[in-house]
Amino acid sequence: MAFKSSLQSVAEPFAAVADLLLPRLCVVCGCELGRKERHICLDCLVGMPLTYHWLKPENPMADKFNSLIAKDYDGPEYYALATALFDFEKGTGYRHITHNLKYRHNIPAGRFFSRMLAKQLVETFGNARVQFPDIPPVDAVVPVPLHWTRQLSRGYNQAEIIASEIASELKAPLRKDLLTRRQRTHTQTSLNVEEKKANVSGAFAVNPKASLNGLRHLLLVDDVFTTGSTLYNCFRPLRQAAGPGLRISIATLGAV
């Protein structure tokens, strides 16, 4: 412990100098971070518009996603659980959390907020078992795939960054092999609701080389939930391949 303390005392002056030369900024408000703050300042962290979905399995995000499922499936269907870390309010700086990960290559910040989401998901599934006693643990975490051309140009898949932190916290395998993106779709940002549905319709497929055998509960992961169209079009091929016995939940950093 003494050795660790001495290392910290030596490192602190260097960290202070580094902050002077290249100040670390809050991803939300852009102000300079304090020595012990990471990626977000204390004021923005305290004011973060958390969804608290983990306290209530039946929440607005889950209801919106389940309404999409109900349009296609009339038979018995598991209630799909859904959790987001924060409300994606366009008029606030909190939208920068996902924008920094997706467009500015700020992977360390993306991992930081993904770990926050992951810890809440542990509580999500714990609370869900009270209402749904038969719910099995998540046995695979599946990121929404990017088309290979977009992933090549960006260098990474932001959903995969989020999913990897969740998989680690839930102690479940990260399954990048289950889904493929067979169409390069337009960005969803500027599309209206109907355009978003059409844009991703049929864009995803189950990888014919991957096996769903033995899986009971999948968690689909993306960066932002808006209309639910992207996640639902990932849900559909998985549901068609595995049947109604497979429970499929969803999680995102932000939710509109």
Side-chain angles (χ1 to χ4, degrees), residues 109-140:
R111 292 193 183 281
F112 175 83
F113 291 105
S114 298
R115 285 192 289 273
M116 289 179 61
L117 170 62
K119 291 182 184 302
Q120 302 306 339
L121 282 166
V122 173
E123 191 169 350
T124 292
F125 296 118
N127 289 330
R129 288 188 189 98
V130 176
Q131 193 166 346
F132 308 101
D134 59 338
I135 185 173
V138 170
D139 46 24

Side-chain angles (χ1 to χ4, degrees), residues 10 45 53 56 77 97 100 107 162 177 188 198 200 216 234 240:
V10 170
L45 182 61
H53 288 158
K56 188 177 180 182
E77 187 74 33
I97 291 174
N100 267 262
I107 293 176
I162 302 166
D177 62 314
Q188 298 275 81
V200 293
R216 299 184 301 160
C234 291
Q240 290 164 1

Side-chain angles (χ1 to χ4, degrees), residues 188-203:
Q188 298 275 81
T189 307
S190 60
L191 303 180
N192 62 37
V193 173
E194 292 305 317
E195 288 171 338
K196 287 178 179 178
K197 290 179 182 178
N199 188 42
V200 293
S201 179

Side-chain angles (χ1 to χ4, degrees), residues 65-232:
F65 191 67
N66 280 279
S67 69
L68 295 175
I69 297 171
K71 291 178 181 178
D72 276 358
Y73 303 106
D74 296 328
E77 187 74 33
Y78 289 125
Y79 184 84
L81 302 178
T83 299
L85 178 63
F86 65 92
D87 288 319
F88 191 87
E89 300 172 350
K90 291 187 177 181
T92 72
Y94 291 96
R95 69 190 187 282
H96 297 317
I97 291 174
T98 52
H99 287 184
N100 267 262
L101 172 59
K102 190 171 183 178
Y103 301 116
R104 298 183 181 176
H105 295 76
N106 195 340
I107 293 176
R111 292 193 183 281
F112 175 83
F113 291 105
S114 298
R115 285 192 289 273
M116 289 179 61
L117 170 62
K119 291 182 184 302
Q120 302 306 339
L121 282 166
V122 173
E123 191 169 350
T124 292
F125 296 118
N127 289 330
R129 288 188 189 98
V130 176
Q131 193 166 346
F132 308 101
D134 59 338
I135 185 173
V138 170
D139 46 24
V141 180
V142 183
V144 171
L146 281 180
H147 191 267
W148 70 269
T149 57
R150 183 160 283 139
Q151 182 153 347
L152 183 65
S153 64
R154 185 173 296 167
Y156 61 94
N157 176 3
Q158 70 277 1
E160 189 178 317
I161 300 296
I162 302 166
S164 66
E165 298 299 327
I166 293 172
S168 177
E169 186 69 30
L170 295 182
K171 297 178 173 58
L174 178 67
R175 294 293 303 271
K176 299 181 288 183
D177 62 314
L178 289 185
L179 282 174
T180 62
R181 192 165 195 147
R182 53 191 183 185
Q183 299 173 15
R184 175 165 178 160
T185 54
H186 299 291
T187 180
Q188 298 275 81
T189 307
S190 60
L191 303 180
N192 62 37
V193 173
E194 292 305 317
E195 288 171 338
K196 287 178 179 178
K197 290 179 182 178
N199 188 42
V200 293
S201 179
F204 304 95
V206 172
N207 184 351
K209 297 181 180 179
S211 174
L212 292 167
N213 292 337
L215 296 178
R216 299 184 301 160
H217 188 181
L218 298 182
L219 178 65
L220 285 170
V221 176
D222 205 1
D223 53 347
V224 178
F225 180 94
T226 51
T227 64
S229 296
T230 298
L231 284 160
Y232 179 61

